C-alpha cells in the first residue's frame, strides 16, 4: 500500500523541476560587497586613523615619544601589510580569471 502511494506521488512530480518547490528554498543570491568595502574605506578607515593620531598626540604631550615612535612604526607596518593583502587579493583574482578563462 505504501509503495503504491509512493509510486503515485513520484509519478505525479514533474521531471524537469529541480525540486526547489519541495524544500521551499529559493536559489542563493549573490551579495554585492563593493558598497561595503567602499563604505569602510571612505568612512571608517579615516575615523580610525584620526583616533590613532589623537592617541599618538596625547602620548607625545606626556613625554612618551619613544612609545609614540614605536606605535607609529607598528601602525605603518600594519597598514603596509593590509595594503599588500588587498593587492594580493586583486592579483590572485586576476590570475584565477586569466587561468580559468
Amino acid at each position: 500500500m505504501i509503495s503504491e502511494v509512493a509510486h503515485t506521488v513520484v509519478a505525479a512530480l514533474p521531471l524537469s523541476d529541480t525540486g526547489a518547490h519541495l524544500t521551499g528554498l529559493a536559489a542563493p543570491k549573490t551579495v554585492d560587497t563593493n558598497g561595503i568595502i567602499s563604505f569602510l574605506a571612505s568612512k571608517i578607515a579615516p575615523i580610525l586613523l584620526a583616533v590613532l593620531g589623537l592617541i599618538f598626540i596625547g602620548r607625545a604631550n606626556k613625554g612618551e615619544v619613544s612609545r609614540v615612535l614605536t606605535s607609529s612604526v607598528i601602525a605603518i607596518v600594519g597598514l603596509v601589510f593590509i595594503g599588500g593583502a588587498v593587492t594580493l587579493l586583486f592579483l590572485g583574482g586576476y590570475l584565477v580569471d586569466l587561468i580559468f578563462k
Side-chain angles (χ1 to χ4, degrees):
M1 167 107 175
I2 295 175
S3 64
E4 293 175 3
V5 172
H7 287 294
T8 305
V9 170
V10 170
L13 292 175
L15 296 176
S16 64
D17 199 1
T18 60
H21 69 284
L22 295 176
T23 61
L25 299 176
K29 297 180 181 178
T30 58
V31 177
D32 183 23
T33 58
N34 291 333
I36 296 170
I37 292 172
S38 65
F39 173 77
L40 290 175
S42 65
K43 304 287 191 262
I44 303 299
I47 291 171
L48 291 177
L49 289 174
V51 168
L52 192 62
L54 289 175
I55 291 170
F56 289 164
I57 291 171
R59 281 189 179 175
N61 283 338
K62 293 180 183 177
E64 300 176 2
V65 177
S66 64
R67 285 190 179 184
V68 170
L69 291 176
T70 304
S71 299
S72 298
V73 169
I74 291 171
I76 290 170
V77 169
L79 289 173
V80 168
F81 276 116
I82 291 171
V86 170
T87 303
L88 287 177
L89 179 70
F90 288 122
L91 178 65
Y94 172 74
L95 290 176
V96 166
D97 290 341
L98 185 66
I99 291 171
F100 293 110
K101 213 170 203 183

